[in-house]
Amino acid sequence: MRGPLLEEMFTLSKVTDLGSGDPAAYSVGLSMKRRGGREVWGKTGGRWGYNAAVASTRHGERTLVYSVNSTDAKGQEMNRTALELMLATYGLPSE
């Protein structure tokens, strides 16, 4: 995918989160988080019994795809195995 549609996927709205007041972190189909000084774009999901994600830096320098079995897919906290994979790939959250 190239051109305007790809740019739209990597464009965050100029709005703030009503609950936290933080800048928007969701675009058209992707969310963005800052990890290890990088913008990491991706999509996560989970159902009872598994938790999955696909994430990458904008130009694919680091990419992570995982699916882990879990009993906490609908819990409030991130699955510990998934969190360790994310930290090993991208580093700690950053401002």
Side-chain angles (χ1 to χ4, degrees):
M1 180 184 317
R2 298 181 186 195
L5 292 177
L6 183 60
E7 285 305 312
E8 186 175 3
M9 287 180 67
F10 290 108
T11 301
L12 297 174
S13 298
K14 305 269 190 254
V15 298
T16 57
D17 181 284
L18 293 175
S20 69
D22 293 336
Y26 295 93
S27 66
V28 180
L30 297 175
S31 65
M32 189 278 294
K33 297 201 180 294
R34 294 191 188 284
R35 299 286 185 258
R38 302 171 185 87
E39 285 187 358
V40 178
W41 295 84
K43 176 78 174 117
T44 62
R47 295 286 182 262
W48 298 111
Y50 84 94
N51 187 287
V54 57
S56 182
T57 52
R58 172 74 189 262
H59 299 290
E61 297 91 354
R62 292 189 183 201
T63 300
L64 172 65
V65 177
Y66 68 77
S67 179
V68 296
N69 290 338
S70 65
T71 57
D72 59 351
K74 292 297 184 180
Q76 295 296 317
E77 299 297 320
M78 185 172 189
N79 175 277
R80 182 155 180 91
T81 301
L83 177 60
E84 290 175 7
L85 289 169
M86 188 69 74
L87 291 174
T89 304
Y90 299 111
L92 294 171
S94 56
E95 297 297 319

